[in-house]
Amino acid sequence: MLSSLLCVAPATIALPAHAQIRTGQAAAVEASSAEPLSSVPTLAQPTEGNSRFQWSSTAPLILPKPDAAHQLVAVKDPSVVYANGKFHVFMTTAGPQGWGLAYTSFRTWREAQGARLTFLDRSGIGPGYRAAPQVFYFAPQKRWYMIFQGGDPLYSTTSNIDDPLSWSAPKPIFATVPDVVKGDDGRPVWLDFWVICDDSRCHLFNTGDNGRLYRSETSLHDFPRGFGNMQVVLNDTRDRLFEASMTYKVAGAGAYVTMVEAIGPKGRYFRSWTSDRLDGSWTPLADSLADPFAGSGNVDYPGGRWTLDISHGELIRAGNDQSLTIDPCNPLRFLHQGVDPRADASDYLNLPYRLGLLTAARQNPISAMCRTKRDTNPRTNAQR
């Protein structure tokens, strides 16, 4: 998403932190010109042959739906939970007026395109710069939490996920900015905040568009207060460890998996690592351009390729609580953002991002962690 340095007058923001956005898009734009993506072999066909993960993509399922008060051109950064018989999707909106948050819900993915958007500036969250939501049910308090960025990390809560206008006014997670995320000028460089809890502690991960993944922690009892001990847990070059980290518990495997978005020559992609504990060291899983977790080279588009980017999103979880558990015994699904590579990449705020759904198309290093009889149909639940 955007760095906290950009949280001023959203409609007129300059975007220095994303001046390199065209790193993964410019070549594609120049190569494709006005041709449809499907007619450009170098873009339409996967280019990497060593990927252990393989995916199949839908067309865009969640689209921007402006109204009289919201001039948006993009929906981005989805967080999705399944509760009360519905998928609940929270997302960033972007357009000439700046950044905000929206919500939609539906019972099956076939209904997603027709589902209406509710803009969360009408809730207690209010207007202003809000972006990159993450939503989960915090079982110890019997409350839903939304973690998001408004410059610094913020949270809001509700007891009723079905009422998008019930979210509370935002509160800060940190009383002061940790020194480790301050840049050379003393200003904070942190974004895309992600909380996951184990049996005793809650851990907050974040990136900074600077090649670093950070982690801080608090006790399960004190959450959402008391976060501290922030440290760098992964360190690489800027483009190889960029933003939008997500971390999950793998059910029955005694393992966690984390993914971080990177910038490649053919668009955004995700690298991945595993660990046996959230405060442990991270071992590469599928962490290269040739063998990514998900990227332009290992995704098939049966209906026609609509993007080269596998960017900021969320896996569909097996539950909805603070453990953020995924089930390796069923095909992974990944709701993500993508954009037509021919779009004008000079104005990041107005890039026309859409949300599409990936489904794992074969066994992979995460499905290999399944300890029970697995479902052998890779498309099971793809349209649930």
Side-chain angles (χ1 to χ4, degrees):
M1 219 6 249
L2 291 177
S3 94
S4 56
L5 304 183
L6 307 181
C7 305
V8 292
T12 57
I13 291 175
L15 297 170
H18 287 276
Q20 302 301 317
I21 182 72
R22 300 183 78 248
T23 302
Q25 294 175 334
V29 174
E30 293 164 4
S32 61
S33 184
E35 298 177 90
L37 268 66
S38 59
S39 71
V40 185
T42 57
L43 300 184
Q45 300 299 322
T47 56
E48 312 294 347
N50 300 320
S51 303
R52 289 171 295 161
F53 286 91
Q54 292 291 331
W55 305 86
S56 180
S57 176
T58 66
L61 294 181
I62 301 177
L63 312 174
K65 296 177 180 177
D67 64 16
H70 301 86
Q71 302 174 35
L72 64 149
V73 298
V75 286
K76 308 184 59 187
D77 316 326
S79 182
V80 53
V81 294
Y82 188 78
N84 304 332
K86 295 187 296 184
F87 291 100
H88 303 262
V89 180
F90 300 81
M91 70 204 82
T92 304
T93 62
Q97 294 173 307
W99 310 90
L101 296 175
Y103 161 86
T104 191
S105 65
F106 41 85
R107 295 192 178 279
T108 71
W109 290 102
R110 292 188 181 92
E111 299 173 354
Q113 281 192 350
R116 73 182 184 93
L117 291 184
T118 298
F119 297 97
L120 298 185
D121 57 1
R122 298 169 52 208
S123 74
I125 290 172
Y129 172 58
R130 283 91 169 88
Q134 183 216 4
V135 174
F136 58 89
Y137 183 69
F138 189 62
Q141 297 176 7
K142 296 182 170 61
R143 293 194 68 81
W144 293 93
Y145 272 77
M146 183 191 302
I147 312 297
F148 58 97
Q149 62 191 55
D152 296 333
L154 303 173
Y155 74 89
S156 179
T157 71
T158 182
S159 59
N160 184 7
I161 189 106
D162 293 306
D163 181 2
L165 302 186
S166 65
W167 289 94
S168 66
K171 293 183 179 180
I173 293 178
F174 289 84
T176 59
V177 176
D179 289 339
V180 69
V181 296
K182 292 180 181 178
D184 293 339
D185 61 0
R187 300 172 70 183
V189 183
W190 56 351
L191 69 161
D192 294 343
F193 306 101
W194 183 274
V195 170
I196 177 173
C197 306
D198 55 30
D199 291 340
S200 61
R201 288 180 293 174
C202 293
H203 306 255
L204 186 148
F205 291 87
N206 64 275
T207 46
D209 287 357
N210 60 0
R212 294 178 178 178
L213 177 67
Y214 304 86
R215 186 191 63 83
S216 54
E217 64 185 54
T218 189
S219 70
L220 196 69
H221 177 267
D222 288 337
F223 176 83
R225 302 173 305 278
F227 275 100
N229 190 31
M230 182 172 283
Q231 55 192 272
V232 177
V233 294
L234 286 174
N235 200 353
D236 207 327
T237 62
R238 171 188 177 271
D239 283 5
R240 281 175 49 83
L241 200 70
F242 192 55
E243 60 187 23
S245 76
M246 52 182 180
T247 302
Y248 300 92
K249 178 181 179 180
V250 183
Y256 294 90
V257 60
T258 196
M259 302 84 170
V260 182
E261 184 176 325
I263 301 176
K266 294 185 174 70
R268 304 292 188 97
Y269 68 102
F270 275 88
R271 302 168 65 204
S272 60
W273 297 258
T274 59
S275 179
D276 61 357
R277 51 189 296 162
L278 289 168
D279 61 351
S281 60
W282 293 94
T283 300
L285 179 65
D287 76 326
S288 68
L289 187 61
D291 183 23
F293 176 71
S296 63
N298 66 344
V299 176
D300 178 48
Y301 293 81
R305 183 181 287 271
W306 58 275
T307 185
L308 293 173
D309 291 297
I310 307 301
S311 183
H312 195 138
E314 181 167 11
L315 295 179
I316 309 302
R317 301 175 225 159
N320 53 38
D321 70 10
Q322 72 280 353
S323 68
L324 303 192
T325 300
I326 57 173
D327 182 3
C329 300
N330 281 307
L332 294 175
R333 291 179 295 165
F334 182 19
L335 184 66
H336 73 97
Q337 67 180 28
V339 67
D340 187 328
R342 297 162 298 186
D344 179 6
S346 64
D347 183 1
Y348 186 75
L349 181 61
N350 287 301
L351 278 173
Y353 276 97
R354 308 289 189 263
L355 305 182
L357 184 69
L358 304 184
T359 300
R362 72 180 189 196
Q363 293 196 29
N364 55 65
I366 293 180
S367 66
M369 298 181 191
C370 177
R371 298 292 185 262
T372 63
K373 182 179 179 181
R374 64 173 294 102
D375 186 336
T376 57
N377 179 0
R379 297 189 185 276
T380 297
N381 290 330
Q383 298 296 330
R384 174 174 144 196

